[in-house]
Amino acid sequence: MLSPVLLVVALLTVLTVTMESDHWTADQQEKFCTWQCLKFTLQWPGSFCLGLKNSSQCRIPPNIQTWTIHGLWPSKAHTCCRCWPIFHSDLKELDPELSQLWPSLLKTQSSFLFWKDEWIKHGSCAACVEGMNSPLRYFQICLKLRGRFDIDRALEDAGIKPSCNQSYPGQEVLVQVKIPLSQNLTLGCHHKEDQGAEPEPPQLWHTFPGHPCPQDSPVFYFPINHDHPHQPCD
């Protein structure tokens, strides 16, 4: 069985996506795109509810059995058009796929409101790149990334399966995986944020800000429980 550390190395070889940029010159893109790196973030529904202050607000739609999309986030973006509106009709052709791969896990938030929030906070920042310069294109890219990054298969092939009893070396509860990407959507990002800074190595595993876990603690990969999502092992 592969450890999570070895698994990360294996996963880094899975994903390579390119993007066309037909209408933006290099100077234009540099001017309007203040970011160089993105994180494509996936979340595990089986553990998601455990991190909520009010876990009773969590729900897992009955058709959800796999990792779902949380978002595609430009890092340190400063130039964003947050006033760019998005309507459900913009995503009509993608609705079936988005509902399956990017559902809301909150009773108080519809899936469209989840997508809308992600577009306003992050998609509008990514829109300076030609391949993501509309809500439709941004969400198409996210679905394409999810299709190329099959984390469910990668974990299963490594012998890591959801369980209430089995734990793995690492951090306490496996909730999210963040995949570093460059602006052209190739895997990994080595951009120097500062003149004298060292490039950031590719990393997939992150602790939640404010909730660091000891590195020697076991990690649990809880199963999805549709009836009791906030108590997956009861």
Side-chain angles (χ1 to χ4, degrees), residues 83 140 196 217:
C83 60
Q140 283 176 328
S217 296

Side-chain angles (χ1 to χ4, degrees), residues 77-145:
H78 304 295
T79 304
C80 308
C81 183
R82 299 188 188 278
C83 60
W84 192 331
I86 179 175
F87 303 96
H88 205 164
S89 57
D90 295 331
L91 306 177
K92 184 176 181 180
E93 67 183 79
L94 302 181
D95 194 274
E97 279 188 278
L98 287 172
S99 296
Q100 178 66 40
L101 299 174
W102 199 333
S104 170
L105 301 178
L106 296 174
K107 295 177 182 178
T108 56
Q109 183 184 54
S110 69
S111 289
F112 173 68
L113 287 180
F114 184 21
W115 308 333
K116 180 179 179 179
D117 285 348
E118 289 297 308
W119 165 254
I120 292 173
K121 293 177 183 177
H122 306 290
S124 64
C125 304
C128 59
V129 173
E130 173 68 18
M132 294 185 281
N133 66 343
S134 72
L136 179 61
R137 288 187 172 192
Y138 172 76
F139 286 97
Q140 283 176 328
I141 287 291
C142 292
L143 290 174
K144 187 177 296 185
L145 288 170

Side-chain angles (χ1 to χ4, degrees), residues 7 13 33-34 40 42-43 53 68 74 77-78 101 103 107 117 123 127 130 134 176 179 190:
L7 177 62
T13 65
C33 283
T34 58
F40 181 56
L42 302 172
Q43 60 188 6
K53 292 182 179 179
T68 60
H78 304 295
L101 299 174
K107 295 177 182 178
D117 285 348
E130 173 68 18
S134 72
Q176 287 195 143
I179 305 165
H190 300 276

Side-chain angles (χ1 to χ4, degrees), residues 130-185:
E130 173 68 18
M132 294 185 281
N133 66 343
S134 72
L136 179 61
R137 288 187 172 192
Y138 172 76
F139 286 97
Q140 283 176 328
I141 287 291
C142 292
L143 290 174
K144 187 177 296 185
L145 288 170
R146 180 61 182 90
R148 290 176 179 265
F149 192 82
D150 191 351
I151 185 174
D152 302 278
R153 174 63 62 83
L155 290 170
E156 184 177 350
D157 289 349
I160 299 177
K161 300 179 180 180
S163 171
C164 290
N165 302 312
Q166 177 67 48
S167 64
Y168 306 91
Q171 297 166 5
E172 291 179 341
V173 179
L174 183 56
V175 178
Q176 287 195 143
V177 168
K178 297 181 180 180
I179 305 165
L181 302 171
S182 296
Q183 194 178 90
N184 65 353
L185 298 184

